[in-house]
Amino acid sequence: MPRQPAPGTRDKILGVASRLFYEHGVRAVGMSRIITEAGTGKNLLYQHFPTKSDLVAAYLEQAGERRRDATRRALAEAGNGAAGAAGPAGQLVAVVAEVGRLVERPGFRGCAFRNYLAEFPDDDSGRPDEDGSVPAVAPAVVAREYLAGSRQLIEGLVAELGVADPVRLTEQLWLLVDALYVQAAYREPADRHLGVEAAVALAQRLVAV
Amino acid sequence: MPRQPAPGTRDKILGVASRLFYEHGVRAVGMSRIITEAGTGKNLLYQHFPTKSDLVAAYLEQAGERRRDATRRALAEAGNGAAGAAGPAGQLVAVVAEVGRLVERPGFRGCAFRNYLAEFPDDDSGRPDEDGSVPAVAPAVVAREYLAGSRQLIEGLVAELGVADPVRLTEQLWLLVDALYVQAAYREPADRHLGVEAAVALAQRLVAV
DNA sequence: GTTGAAGCGGACCGAACGGTCCGCTACGGT
DNA sequence: ACCGTAGCGGACCGTTCGGTCCGCTTCAAC
């Protein structure tokens, strides 16, 4: 039996690429730098990710998975708060508060998906390229799907809440999430907790019947 | 007397560059494309803007000027609303509503300053380059100054309002502005007015004593 | 009509990009 | 011990980048 490929290579490459893409922006990071910092050969990288676009899509895919996990965890903890299940009101506040905690983490540089879409406004993914080939999974598709799913989570909880104008409330809570993310993208870390506290307080006020 | 330089050249170049930078992102637009679309010679462009960084800074500078003008105009109109001067409450709502109108304009692609800072997270402007030279006015400085000034406007109006917790209210209104801008950067134009209406309604509720 | 600067735009430069190919080393299976 | 493949990493390719230089045309001033 021939030799086997080393396991974990893909994860190592993807980990390095994710860190660099997130910290410096996708366009600012070249493939050669990823290869150098990952300590792997060029062959290996292009074997796992045939093009840079594939690597970027995998980066966003992984980031989305982690965000969804963190959100689920926050909802579970909110459910176990004190005694028994928190209602949808508490869960909505928990969602906003979880984003707030994320935003205050050092090194946090904004939402990976919103940052990507800001960096590549011309990425109209899904449509085939001019040469007829269509990329396997385009980064912009992954980003938009994450954002849509995240919004639907809030939409669902608001529906459970049974409020008079659910659309309006969904919009307002979603505005808060958007705002927290974008503040993290340009505001000094020390100033961010002011915004976080203001957002959480406002969320509590909004979900209160 | 020798021939005179053609007037308006700088404005034409800056106009073309601004449109392209805003629509496609700064990194995605090369100098050659600006030159082609402006119909001017390479010499002329580099005469007015020695480096791309200078051109980008001028683009943001001009965008800031226009935003400040639009905000001033909105405040003046709010002051003349119905009969006589609107109080700070009405002016704060007017500021949010003006951003809302901007966001609903077709072709609007988000805040130029927030988009730039998302695209160039490593632009630590103001500090000299490694070769000792310091750029005249770095783009990131322009962007950060605009954002700081915009926030101070809200801060001042909130102070006039004489509310119990001015810091909290300033934060919350600033969150709304942030959110409107970022939604415009990735959301479908048709869906935006939902967010705008929600934000304006929330602003009115926040400034109501 | 002559002259000289203004200005268009192509040639060119070094660097960096994404991506391909391949030679060499190192190590696991038999 | 001997294969043979996995894998590191450099050579290389075509393209594009920001930026410089210059030849040629055009047109205003005299």
Side-chain angles (χ1 to χ4, degrees):
Chain A
M1 194 173 176
R3 211 172 145 198
Q4 301 177 17
T9 304
R10 203 192 115 105
D11 285 351
K12 185 165 65 176
I13 293 171
L14 185 52
V16 170
S18 293
R19 181 174 51 81
L20 292 176
F21 284 153
Y22 182 73
E23 287 180 7
H24 306 288
V26 172
R27 263 211 167 92
V29 175
M31 297 297 266
S32 56
R33 183 171 174 191
I34 295 170
I35 289 158
T36 301
E37 296 207 16
T40 177
K42 284 199 164 192
N43 282 348
L44 233 31
L45 186 149
Y46 282 104
Q47 183 175 317
H48 287 287
F49 308 98
T51 72
K52 185 175 182 179
S53 181
D54 293 318
L55 181 55
V56 175
Y59 148 59
L60 292 178
E61 202 89 64
Q62 182 186 261
E65 215 54 63
R66 291 184 181 173
R67 291 300 305 134
R68 282 186 282 266
D69 285 349
T71 305
R72 268 193 289 270
R73 239 176 297 131
L75 284 178
E77 286 175 18
N80 300 340
Q91 291 189 308
L92 284 167
V93 174
V95 169
V96 175
E98 195 274 330
V99 176
R101 279 199 303 277
L102 181 71
V103 156
E104 289 200 69
R105 283 227 290 258
F108 188 75
R109 224 215 80 211
C111 169
F113 313 100
R114 292 170 178 86
N115 285 351
Y116 175 83
L117 293 175
E119 200 177 350
F120 294 87
D122 294 335
D123 185 350
D124 305 313
S125 303
R127 293 194 290 223
D129 291 350
E130 69 282 350
D131 61 351
S133 73
V134 46
V137 186
V141 169
V142 179
R144 278 188 242 271
E145 280 179 356
Y146 170 81
L147 292 173
S150 181
R151 191 174 187 283
Q152 279 168 14
L153 173 71
I154 291 178
E155 213 169 331
L157 290 172
V158 168
E160 285 184 45
L161 204 60
V163 82
D165 191 345
V167 174
R168 167 68 50 94
L169 182 56
T170 301
E171 287 293 336
Q172 289 174 339
L173 289 168
W174 185 241
L175 283 168
L176 290 182
V177 173
D178 266 335
L180 284 178
Y181 274 119
V182 72
Q183 287 210 358
Y186 72 85
R187 216 170 166 191
E188 291 303 314
D191 299 341
R192 289 180 196 164
H193 85 279
L194 280 176
V196 170
E197 285 180 3
V200 173
L202 189 46
Q204 283 169 332
R205 189 169 150 191
L206 285 173
V207 300
V209 276
Chain B
M1 196 174 173
R3 212 172 143 199
Q4 300 178 18
T9 304
R10 203 192 115 104
D11 285 351
K12 185 166 65 176
I13 294 171
L14 185 52
V16 170
S18 293
R19 180 174 52 82
L20 292 175
F21 284 154
Y22 182 72
E23 286 180 8
H24 307 287
V26 172
R27 262 207 165 95
V29 176
M31 297 295 266
S32 56
R33 182 171 175 191
I34 295 170
I35 289 158
T36 301
E37 296 208 14
T40 177
K42 283 199 164 193
N43 282 348
L44 232 30
L45 186 148
Y46 283 104
Q47 183 175 316
H48 287 288
F49 307 98
T51 71
K52 185 176 184 179
S53 180
D54 293 318
L55 182 55
V56 175
Y59 148 58
L60 293 177
E61 201 89 64
Q62 181 185 261
E65 213 55 61
R66 291 183 181 174
R67 291 300 305 132
R68 281 185 284 265
D69 285 349
T71 305
R72 266 193 291 271
R73 239 176 297 132
L75 284 178
E77 285 175 18
N80 299 341
Q91 291 189 307
L92 284 167
V93 174
V95 168
V96 174
E98 195 274 329
V99 176
R101 279 198 305 276
L102 181 71
V103 156
E104 289 199 69
R105 281 226 292 258
F108 189 75
R109 225 213 80 210
C111 169
F113 314 99
R114 291 170 179 86
N115 285 351
Y116 175 84
L117 293 175
E119 201 177 348
F120 294 87
D122 294 336
D123 185 349
D124 306 313
S125 303
R127 293 196 288 224
D129 291 351
E130 69 282 351
D131 62 352
S133 74
V134 46
V137 185
V141 169
V142 179
R144 278 189 243 270
E145 280 179 356
Y146 169 81
L147 291 173
S150 180
R151 192 175 187 283
Q152 280 167 15
L153 173 72
I154 291 179
E155 214 170 330
L157 290 172
V158 168
E160 285 183 46
L161 204 60
V163 83
D165 192 345
V167 174
R168 167 66 52 95
L169 181 56
T170 301
E171 288 293 336
Q172 289 174 337
L173 289 168
W174 185 241
L175 284 168
L176 290 182
V177 173
D178 266 335
L180 283 179
Y181 274 119
V182 73
Q183 287 211 357
Y186 72 85
R187 215 168 167 194
E188 292 303 315
D191 298 341
R192 290 180 195 163
H193 85 279
L194 279 176
V196 169
E197 284 181 4
V200 173
L202 189 47
Q204 284 170 330
R205 188 168 151 191
L206 284 173
V207 299
V209 276

